[in-house]
């Protein structure tokens, strides 16, 4: 990889002259500028963004912190963030916390060391001390915050919709898989489903989980059918959990949707590739990522926000893990 010194040597000029050309700072004769630009092309030189930001006292780097990059929902969200950042000449540093507080703190420190100008976070505790002390613009996405801008879907309504759809399809022994209690959006989903079922006087069972991760999905699915073998309708906390429930139902010989109906949450790509394809609650991950990126850029560039919190609507996506009903 070429360095700024290599460019200077190739062009026959000083490093300071190359720096002035790169940063468009100070006078450089046109012939000299042409030689430097030709050397940059010849050597395929790419400036070090961190070094440039330290020199200019202004960075174009943004930190994006995700809880679980293995969950297909989050790459879609990250793509929305990246597309907007790229269009506005910002670059991303992505960290994966694995829902681990120490990793989260380590990545925040890494962001600071790399001179980021803002952070977008989709991690679990927006009120944590590491965020309250962070002297940078922060936007939460797919998470809710009381004191920082946040972008999220209407999880409570999503839970209500899932419950109503199972009731419409004749389910009377419904189980709700409750997401992690420390994630506010997960609890909104659970509470929305519980409210809708209680309003109709329908009994429901609850299975608590501590994580949205793939590694916890299979044990949760096994425990569900072991504890509630007669369940005929399942509201999963996300599509990963719902996929594991679908697989466990198949292993046990429970026909989907004839014997048991399943609704997930997120509408990840995987959900339509399963057999049968998964009915789910769609939340617009890509659009939420784009919105969060736009808000952060506004904060970085000193523009006044019209809204601090943006809530996106959700909708039911009917596939074959639920029975058909008349409109």
């Amino acid at each position: 990889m070429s360095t700024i010194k290599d460019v200077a040597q190739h062009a026959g000029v000083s490093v300071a002259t190359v720096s002035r050309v790169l940063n468009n700072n100070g006078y450089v004769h046109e012939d000299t500028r042409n030689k430097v630009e030709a050397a940059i092309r010849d050597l395929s030189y790419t400036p070090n963004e961190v070094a440039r930001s330290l020199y200019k006292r202004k960075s174009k780097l943004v930190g994006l912190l995700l809880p679980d990059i293995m969950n297909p929902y989050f790459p879609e969200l990250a793509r929305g963030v990246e597309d907007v950042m790229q269009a506005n000449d910002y670059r991303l540093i992505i960290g994966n916390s694995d829902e681990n507080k120490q990793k989260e703190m380590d990545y925040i420190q890494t962001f600071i060391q790399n001179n980021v100008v803002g952070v977008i976070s989709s991690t679990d505790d927006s009120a944590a001390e590491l965020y309250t002390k962070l002297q940078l613009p922060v936007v939460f996405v797919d998470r809710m915050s009381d004191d920082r801008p946040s972008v999220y879907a209407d999880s409570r309504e999503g839970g209500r919709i899932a419950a109503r759809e199972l009731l419409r399809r004749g389910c009377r022994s419904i189980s709700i898989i409750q997401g992690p209690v420390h994630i506010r959006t997960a609890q909104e989903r659970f509470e929305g489903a519980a409210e809708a079922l209680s309003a109709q006087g329908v009994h429901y069972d609850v299975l608590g989980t501590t994580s949205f991760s793939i590694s916890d999905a299979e044990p949760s699915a096994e425990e569900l059918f072991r504890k509630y073998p007669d369940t005929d309708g399942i509201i999963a906390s996300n599509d990963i959990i719902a996929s594991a429930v679908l697989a466990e139902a198949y292993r046990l010989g429970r026909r989907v949707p004839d014997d048991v109906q399943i609704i997930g949450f997120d509408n990840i790509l995987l959900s339509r590739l399963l057999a049968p394809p998964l009915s789910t609650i769609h939340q617009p991950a890509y659009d939420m990522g784009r919105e969060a990126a736009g808000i952060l850029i506004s904060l970085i560039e000193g523009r006044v926000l019209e809204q601090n919190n943006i809530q996106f609507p959700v909708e039911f996506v009917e596939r074959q893990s639920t029975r058909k009903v008349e409109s």
Side-chain angles (χ1 to χ4, degrees), residues 40-175:
I40 290 171
R41 289 192 299 272
D42 291 345
L43 299 176
S44 300
Y45 171 70
T46 302
N48 184 298
E49 191 66 36
V50 175
R52 288 185 69 188
S53 71
L54 291 172
Y55 174 80
K56 297 173 72 176
R57 301 300 182 196
K58 185 176 182 181
S59 166
K60 298 292 281 187
L61 293 172
V62 168
L64 174 61
L65 192 53
L66 303 174
D68 182 10
I69 202 68
M70 291 292 288
N71 184 335
Y73 172 80
F74 290 105
E76 185 176 353
L77 185 149
R79 183 56 188 262
V81 173
E82 182 191 30
D83 283 354
V84 171
M85 289 299 175
Q86 184 84 17
N88 287 273
D89 199 30
Y90 287 86
R91 301 294 180 267
L92 287 180
I93 304 176
I94 298 179
N96 175 52
S97 74
D98 285 325
E99 300 184 11
N100 179 287
K101 185 58 65 178
Q102 186 59 52
K103 283 190 71 175
E104 187 173 351
M105 294 174 65
D106 291 345
Y107 270 117
I108 291 293
Q109 189 60 38
T110 298
F111 292 161
I112 294 170
Q113 291 170 351
N114 282 275
N115 202 34
V116 302
V117 289
V119 173
I120 295 176
S121 178
S122 187
T123 53
D124 299 337
D125 189 0
S126 62
E129 186 178 11
L130 75 160
Y131 290 112
T132 59
K133 291 187 174 181
L134 193 60
Q135 300 300 309
L136 288 170
V138 178
V139 176
F140 288 92
V141 61
D142 194 49
R143 297 295 187 264
M144 304 167 74
S145 173
D146 293 326
D147 53 5
R148 299 271 194 169
S150 52
V151 179
Y152 50 90
D154 191 348
S155 297
R156 186 177 295 271
E157 180 62 14
R160 294 192 191 104
I161 292 171
R164 291 170 186 153
E165 293 297 337
L166 288 184
L167 291 177
R168 288 180 65 217
R169 288 159 172 76
C171 293
R172 289 298 178 264
S173 181
I174 294 175
S175 298

Side-chain angles (χ1 to χ4, degrees), residues 6-60:
D6 296 330
V7 173
Q9 186 175 11
H10 191 81
V13 300
S14 68
V15 170
T17 298
V18 176
S19 180
R20 286 197 293 272
V21 172
L22 290 171
N23 294 289
N24 197 26
N25 180 30
Y27 173 75
V28 178
H29 191 277
E30 185 176 354
D31 290 343
T32 303
R33 181 181 295 277
N34 289 338
K35 286 197 295 184
V36 171
E37 290 175 347
I40 290 171
R41 289 192 299 272
D42 291 345
L43 299 176
S44 300
Y45 171 70
T46 302
N48 184 298
E49 191 66 36
V50 175
R52 288 185 69 188
S53 71
L54 291 172
Y55 174 80
K56 297 173 72 176
R57 301 300 182 196
K58 185 176 182 181
S59 166
K60 298 292 281 187

Side-chain angles (χ1 to χ4, degrees), residues 138-299:
V138 178
V139 176
F140 288 92
V141 61
D142 194 49
R143 297 295 187 264
M144 304 167 74
S145 173
D146 293 326
D147 53 5
R148 299 271 194 169
S150 52
V151 179
Y152 50 90
D154 191 348
S155 297
R156 186 177 295 271
E157 180 62 14
R160 294 192 191 104
I161 292 171
R164 291 170 186 153
E165 293 297 337
L166 288 184
L167 291 177
R168 288 180 65 217
R169 288 159 172 76
C171 293
R172 289 298 178 264
S173 181
I174 294 175
S175 298
I176 307 173
I177 301 179
Q178 182 180 10
V181 296
H182 59 284
I183 300 179
R184 188 167 162 186
T185 50
Q187 294 316 298
E188 294 267 333
R189 297 175 193 181
F190 166 70
E191 291 166 6
E195 288 169 6
L197 294 174
S198 296
Q200 296 298 317
V202 176
H203 170 77
Y204 59 90
D205 296 304
V206 179
L207 178 72
T209 59
T210 59
S211 167
F212 279 137
S213 69
I214 293 173
S215 61
D216 291 336
E218 288 184 1
S220 296
E222 292 170 4
E223 183 180 1
L224 175 75
F225 284 110
R226 186 170 60 250
K227 292 180 70 172
Y228 310 117
D230 296 327
T231 186
D232 64 357
I234 298 167
I235 301 171
S237 51
N238 73 353
D239 285 348
I240 296 297
I241 301 292
S243 300
V245 170
L246 192 64
E248 182 64 10
Y250 177 81
R251 189 184 72 83
L252 295 172
R254 300 287 302 276
R255 297 172 300 166
V256 179
D258 297 334
D259 299 330
V260 59
Q261 301 183 71
I262 304 167
I263 295 179
F265 205 109
D266 284 342
N267 194 28
I268 61 176
L269 174 61
L270 173 68
S271 63
R272 61 179 181 264
L273 302 177
L274 297 169
L278 180 68
S279 295
T280 186
I281 303 298
H282 171 76
Q283 56 175 350
Y286 178 80
D287 293 339
M288 289 162 60
R290 289 183 60 87
E291 186 70 31
I295 290 174
L296 185 63
I297 290 171
S298 293
L299 292 173

